[in-house]
Amino acid sequence: NSSEATNGFAQTFQILVHNTTNTLSFSADFKFPGGTAPIITANSTDILTGVYYGESSNNVYITKVGNFF
């Protein structure tokens, strides 16, 4: 929950998505490079890394590293 951090601190996390054909959705608090959520690679492994900087806007910045296996 991004609202649990305090201004001036950062939280990081990773989400491992493995062998899924499901669709992931994100609230407006999640921000992505280029403004578009990443496409999860079907039948592979993707890692989403997130950082929350304790902003009052509750933005969580996400990057994707994917298609490992």
Side-chain angles (χ1 to χ4, degrees):
N1 184 349
S2 62
S3 64
E4 294 176 0
T6 305
N7 284 341
F9 296 93
Q11 294 178 345
T12 61
F13 61 90
Q14 291 184 319
I15 301 170
L16 175 69
V17 184
H18 183 68
N19 287 338
T20 186
T21 56
N22 297 326
T23 301
L24 295 179
S25 60
F26 301 90
S27 75
D29 292 336
F30 289 81
K31 307 299 180 192
F32 303 92
T36 304
I39 296 173
I40 301 303
T41 309
N43 301 315
S44 186
T45 299
D46 294 320
I47 297 174
L48 303 178
T49 300
V51 178
Y52 173 68
Y53 291 104
E55 300 171 335
S56 59
S57 62
N58 288 333
N59 291 337
V60 179
Y61 301 93
I62 301 287
T63 57
K64 174 191 169 194
V65 179
N67 203 10
F68 281 102
F69 306 109

